[in-house]
Amino acid sequence: MIDSASAHDGVGNLFDIAALDTRAERFTPLVEAKNLKIERIVSTGQASPPGFWYDQDLAEWVLVLAGSAALRFEGEAHPRVLHPGDWLLIPAKQKHRVEWTDKSGATIWLAVHFS
C-alpha cells in the first residue's frame, strides 16, 4: 500500500511508524525524479505471494534499517537473510521475491530504484 503522506515538505523520520496501519505493507515515496525513486518500506510479517516474482525494469538497492527479512533470487536454492545494516543490490530484470519479513516487529527498508 502506498502512503499518501509522503515527504512532500522535504523532512521526515524513517523510524516514525507510529501512525501506520501495520496490517498491510507500507510504501512511502521520499524522493522521485527521472529514473530515480527513493522510498521507505515498512513490512510487518508480509511476504510475496506463493509463486510470485518481482521483475522490475529499474535496479533496486535495499538497506534494512530495522527488523529482518529474507529475499530470494530466481535460480538460487536459499534466500538471503538481511538484518539491520545489511544491504543488497538487485539488478534490473533480476527476478526476486520476499520470502519473509519479521513477524515480531517492523522491518524498515530504505529502497533506491534507479536506471
Side-chain angles (χ1 to χ4, degrees):
M1 174 179 283
I2 302 278
D3 275 338
S4 59
S6 62
H8 292 295
D9 58 2
V11 65
N13 185 306
L14 293 172
F15 298 105
D16 184 9
I17 62 169
L20 291 181
D21 178 357
T22 58
R23 291 175 290 180
E25 194 167 41
R26 304 300 293 225
F27 298 81
T28 305
L30 304 173
V31 175
E32 293 185 88
K34 183 178 181 179
N35 299 318
L36 173 71
K37 178 171 71 170
I38 302 173
E39 66 184 347
R40 177 188 68 179
I41 305 167
V42 178
S43 308
T44 51
Q46 290 83 12
S48 298
F52 174 83
W53 294 89
Y54 288 98
D55 185 3
Q56 303 168 156
D57 291 331
L58 297 177
E60 181 178 7
W61 179 87
V62 294
L63 166 67
V64 173
L65 299 167
S68 58
L71 294 179
R72 181 186 302 254
F73 288 107
E74 184 179 52
E76 290 187 352
H78 303 287
R80 300 176 188 207
V81 177
L82 303 174
H83 298 283
D86 292 339
W87 59 269
L88 180 67
L89 177 63
I90 305 168
K93 305 306 285 176
Q94 171 67 61
K95 290 186 178 181
H96 63 284
R97 55 181 282 108
V98 177
E99 290 290 311
W100 55 264
T101 59
D102 195 341
K103 292 181 180 180
S104 66
T107 297
I108 302 174
W109 313 73
L110 182 65
V112 180
H113 304 263
F114 62 95
S115 59

